[in-house]
Amino acid sequence: MQVLPTHNGANTKECLPLGKLIVLTGPSGVGKGTLMNEILRRYPELHYSVSATTRSPRPGEINGKNYHFISRSQFEQLVTQGEFLEWAEFAGNCYGTPREAVLNHVQAGKLVVLEIELAGARQIRHTFPSALSIFILPPSFAELEKRIRGRGQDAEEAISLRLQRAEEEIVAANEFDIKIINDDFEQAVKEIEKAIFE
Ligand code: ADP
Ligand code: 5GP
């Protein structure tokens, strides 16, 4: 595999003059996507940043809505062109946040939400110290495993990679502004609303 340049923006600080950047992170399977969908349903004025990924679409996922599904060579080209605000490799695939779309929406005064994994969330915190960062925790590791398996959309190898990564991610929770345990779904949604709007 080609070695990609270092992550974009990692050594520069950028300012966000008008809107607000919100980073939602936490281990795979904790419920980030489900929580995000509910928040977006309640607050359609929020802008959800659609990432690019080299992962194949899961059943029901729509290109351009859930992700921009692209090849690894397309991804590498975008990295080289500096098109990502951040990017990371996760469980064998690459994921990246489109720079221009996010900055345009923030500059237009919008609340922009990124739902990304730990390495990317760290990059964003470094580049945009004013971003609000939220870490979603599972009630227990056993429950996290149950949710990943219950989702029924990943192969066994992908599940074990995600669980392995989850152990490393959970210990980083204290780095983030706000920690929310996604046990009772409604309660977790309320806590996210409070973090974003109060
Ligand atoms: P992520 O986006 O973090 O990978 P998902 O949103 O895909 O996680 O959620 C993983 C699974 O957990 C889904 O089947 C979802 O319905 C379920 N889930 C989400 N929140 C809860 C909750 N509070 N209690 C029980 N199951 C949940
Ligand atoms: P999934 O394959 O389950 O959709 O996503 C795997 C992980 O990648 C999740 O933790 C998700 O939040 C994260 N992710 C999605 N988009 C991005 C992105 O643009 N950048 C980074 N760093 N992580 C992302």
Side-chain angles (χ1 to χ4, degrees), residues 32 51 55 58 67 86 95-97 115-117 162:
K32 301 183 300 295
S51 298
R55 170 166 78 62
R58 293 180 181 134
Y67 283 106
E86 63 72 38
Y95 298 81
T97 301
E115 191 245 279
I116 60 180
E117 55 67 69
R162 278 154 200 267

Side-chain angles (χ1 to χ4, degrees), residues 2-9 70-87 94 99:
Q2 187 189 333
V3 177
L4 299 173
T6 50
H7 300 141
N8 276 311
I70 61 176
S71 67
R72 194 169 269 264
S73 63
Q74 284 174 306
F75 195 96
E76 287 170 355
Q77 196 180 353
L78 292 172
V79 169
T80 310
Q81 291 168 349
E83 297 284 347
F84 292 127
L85 212 47
E86 63 72 38
W87 66 270
C94 294
R99 172 185 293 275

Side-chain angles (χ1 to χ4, degrees), residues 26-37 58 115 136 139 143-144 146-148 150-154 162 181-186 188:
S28 175
V30 75
K32 301 183 300 295
T34 316
L35 290 165
M36 207 52 254
N37 285 342
R58 293 180 181 134
E115 191 245 279
I136 309 292
E143 173 63 17
L144 180 70
K146 200 169 132 200
R147 287 186 194 170
I148 294 186
R151 186 165 62 186
Q153 290 182 327
D154 296 303
R162 278 154 200 267
I181 299 173
N182 180 21
D183 187 359
D184 178 73
F185 186 77
E186 185 56 33

Side-chain angles (χ1 to χ4, degrees), residues 6-177:
T6 50
H7 300 141
N8 276 311
N11 297 315
T12 53
K13 299 238 191 287
E14 300 190 24
C15 57
L16 297 169
L18 294 167
K20 187 165 157 187
L21 199 53
I22 298 152
V23 179
L24 196 68
T25 192
S28 175
V30 75
K32 301 183 300 295
T34 316
L35 290 165
M36 207 52 254
N37 285 342
E38 181 56 21
I39 294 285
L40 291 170
R41 193 186 66 75
R42 293 186 189 189
Y43 304 96
E45 70 272 25
L46 294 184
H47 173 78
Y48 173 71
S49 163
V50 179
S51 298
T53 183
T54 61
R55 170 166 78 62
S56 309
R58 293 180 181 134
E61 282 186 329
I62 297 167
N63 191 22
K65 179 170 182 275
N66 303 95
Y67 283 106
H68 301 289
F69 294 99
I70 61 176
S71 67
R72 194 169 269 264
S73 63
Q74 284 174 306
F75 195 96
E76 287 170 355
Q77 196 180 353
L78 292 172
V79 169
T80 310
Q81 291 168 349
E83 297 284 347
F84 292 127
L85 212 47
E86 63 72 38
W87 66 270
E89 191 147 3
F90 180 93
N93 292 297
C94 294
Y95 298 81
T97 301
R99 172 185 293 275
E100 202 181 320
V102 167
L103 293 184
N104 284 346
H105 280 92
V106 173
Q107 275 151 16
K110 290 239 175 196
L111 294 179
V112 179
V113 187
L114 312 182
E115 191 245 279
I116 60 180
E117 55 67 69
L118 178 64
R122 282 178 167 152
Q123 290 171 57
I124 294 291
R125 283 189 51 123
H126 179 89
T127 314
F128 302 102
S130 64
L132 170 71
S133 59
I134 303 173
F135 195 101
I136 309 292
L137 283 158
S140 66
F141 199 78
E143 173 63 17
L144 180 70
E145 179 164 1
K146 200 169 132 200
R147 287 186 194 170
I148 294 186
R149 292 189 183 283
R151 186 165 62 186
Q153 290 182 327
D154 296 303
E156 189 54 40
E157 196 194 339
I159 291 175
S160 52
L161 276 174
R162 278 154 200 267
L163 288 172
Q164 218 176 304
R165 179 81 174 239
E167 290 192 50
E168 297 159 22
E169 295 199 314
I170 287 169
V171 294
N174 283 333
E175 294 172 25
F176 294 86
D177 296 327

